[in-house]
């Protein structure tokens, strides 16, 4: 039997969960409403994946407890791995970059410093995805999944 491809975790759809990292990367050059909208996209992805996992558990005949556990697992994992931790990492990385450029390269035009900040944020996204996913999985395996 072939294993079903998970559209939310094994396809391009997974990248919708990282919309807020793109928003955080552009925070220096866009209105805050744009950054907030990027979080709405990311949380929409989280909720869609959670609903998908819950529905699949229901279709497999899982009782109410199994469905609730599966829902909690998907919601917690996705919130941490797709929104909270990467958003915080990119936010802090961009803030640090801005501060350092202001302190050490203040003669560089502000527009250039902002472009550098955005670039650092965007370039870092591919490098943080897999370590954060793996770290959240380890965390979940040693907490929620062990306790439930």
């Amino acid at each position: 039997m072939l294993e079903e491809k998970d559209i939310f975790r094994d396809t391009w759809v997974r990248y919708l969960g990282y919309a807020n990292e793109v928003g955080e990367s552009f925070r220096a050059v866009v209105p805050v409403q744009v950054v907030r909208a990027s979080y709405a996209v990311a949380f929409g992805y989280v909720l869609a994946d959670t609903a998908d996992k819950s529905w699949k558990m229901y279709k497999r005949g899982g009782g109410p407890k199994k469905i609730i556990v599966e829902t909690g697992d998907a919601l917690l994992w996705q919130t941490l791995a797709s929104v909270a931790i990467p958003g915080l990492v990119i936010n802090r990385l961009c803030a640090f970059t801005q501060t350092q450029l202001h302190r050490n390269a203040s003669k560089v035009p502000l527009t250039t410093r902002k472009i550098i900040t955005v670039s650092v944020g965007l370039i870092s996204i591919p490098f943080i995805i897999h370590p954060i996913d793996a770290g959240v999985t380890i965390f979940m395996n040693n907490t929620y999944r062990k306790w439930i």
Side-chain angles (χ1 to χ4, degrees), residues 70-135:
E70 185 70 20
T71 300
D73 186 272
L75 183 62
L76 186 56
W77 191 91
Q78 285 290 6
T79 298
L80 291 172
S82 298
V83 181
I85 296 171
L88 178 64
V89 169
I90 298 296
N91 177 283
R92 294 295 79 212
L93 181 60
C94 289
F96 175 79
T97 301
Q98 267 189 312
T99 300
Q100 293 306 309
L101 288 171
H102 178 72
R103 285 184 187 159
N104 301 311
S106 59
K107 293 187 178 172
V108 174
L110 179 60
T111 302
T112 303
R113 286 185 276 151
K114 287 182 177 185
I115 291 170
I116 292 169
T117 299
V118 170
S119 299
V120 167
L122 291 174
I123 289 167
S124 67
I125 294 171
F127 296 101
I128 69 168
I129 291 172
H130 296 296
I132 290 173
D133 285 359

Side-chain angles (χ1 to χ4, degrees), residues 40-62:
V41 171
F43 272 115
Y45 163 81
V46 167
L47 295 174
D49 183 54
T50 300
D52 177 65
K53 301 306 173 279
S54 302
W55 179 249
K56 286 178 180 173
M57 178 57 73
Y58 172 78
K59 284 184 6 184
R60 285 194 304 263

Side-chain angles (χ1 to χ4, degrees), residues 24-45:
E24 286 293 350
S25 296
F26 279 94
R27 184 180 284 273
V29 296
V30 299
V32 72
Q33 293 87 348
V34 173
V35 178
R36 289 181 183 143
S38 73
Y39 275 88
V41 171
F43 272 115
Y45 163 81

